[in-house]
Amino acid sequence: MFSCKFGRLISGLCIPKAAPMCGMSPTGFSWSAVCQRRTLRLQRTQKNPEPCHLSLRQSSHATVDPDEVRRFQLLSSKWWDEQGEFAALHAMNDLRVPLIRDNLLNMHPKNHPGRPLSGLKILDVGCGGGLLTEPLGRLGASVLGIDPVEDSISTAQVHASYDPELRGRLRYQACTLEELSAEAEEAGRFDALVASEVVEHLADLETFAFCCNHMLKPGGSLFITTINKTNLSYALGIVVAEQLLRIVPNGTHDWEKFISPVELERLLESNGFSVQTVQGMLYNPLSGAWSWTNSTAINYALRAVKVRDDVQPEPTDGTEEEESHRTGTHS
């Protein structure tokens, strides 16, 4: 279970370039919408405090935490060591690859023997060395893997170059999700977005959720695996895994960045998603294997579907009434 945490190394992290100012970019990507949503969320939290920590993290427009980037920069050459720091992530493919494959097949039932995901475009956010990107490419998908750590992207590119089967199916780019979202040719073109062991390292989840919506086609699928914010996840993921057993380097995780399924679902649904499933995951450090479980107390996987493009700030108190008078409609 503890090693669930080590996988978390990566993602979403990025060496941020200058944080964009609130406003509309030439591509139609609206930072002003992100700013407004964050302000309104903070206002609601101050009026009606909730037992969640989401608002405490909404302080920047960059999803990345520079400290996380520096930490994973040191591990960038070790991604493909199946017995090393990323062993649990290698093993996690036994669950997350079938999860992604089967759900996408249900939504896109095309017959491509041997390459069931052919014709689909997938964005792998926080791809690291390509541990998940490559198997998705082998299933026939066209996959773009992004990560802010340039050395990790270099490791991914070199490893993929040894497999001729992957040529033309994989692309890698050293960037953040918000940087990619500002590129007009990339926005709204993906059938699925994967963020596996990423969100617990991010600096700004509001921007992350907004950008996920921006990158997906309507009806596109979002797959997330992460760590719950519970006493048990702290005890096993940090105290045991990092401080006692040294399964992962000390300091890999910050419990304050963990997020509960309820909080994550609330965030996603306010950004144009409908959460379809949430399933617990359990890691056995003795066997080195993952299994599905009914408990989400430690690790869990979430699948959501984009239901709308028009992610706009939620109305403040009284706005809905003012709007009904303006349009002449009443409930």
Side-chain angles (χ1 to χ4, degrees), residues 77-136:
S77 64
K78 302 180 179 181
W79 282 105
W80 290 95
D81 179 0
E82 296 187 21
Q83 306 304 317
E85 288 89 340
F86 296 101
L89 276 184
H90 282 274
M92 189 184 285
N93 277 355
D94 290 342
L95 292 190
R96 58 186 181 175
V97 172
L99 172 73
I100 297 167
R101 178 198 63 204
D102 295 346
N103 278 287
L104 289 180
L105 282 176
N106 286 337
M107 299 187 70
H108 306 275
K110 297 179 181 179
N111 185 20
H112 297 285
R115 298 180 181 177
L117 300 186
S118 290
L120 298 182
K121 294 181 174 61
I122 300 176
L123 176 61
D124 184 4
V125 177
C127 66
L131 272 60
L132 180 56
T133 322
E134 286 196 12
L136 293 177

Side-chain angles (χ1 to χ4, degrees), residues 37 40-42 44-45 48-58 205-206 209-210 222 224 258-276 278 300 302-304 308 311-312 314:
R37 293 180 67 79
L40 294 174
R41 188 178 292 275
L42 284 169
R44 288 196 302 274
T45 302
N48 303 295
E50 298 177 358
C52 74
H53 303 268
L54 179 62
S55 61
L56 301 180
R57 295 192 289 258
Q58 311 309 313
L205 292 184
E206 184 75 32
F210 185 91
L222 173 63
I224 292 175
F258 292 1
I259 184 170
S260 71
V262 172
E263 184 184 357
L264 183 55
E265 181 172 354
R266 181 186 302 120
L267 172 70
L268 293 175
E269 294 197 340
S270 70
N271 279 278
F273 288 95
S274 173
V275 173
Q276 303 295 301
V278 178
Y300 63 95
L302 176 149
R303 182 177 72 88
R308 70 179 195 274
V311 179
Q312 298 296 330
E314 298 169 11

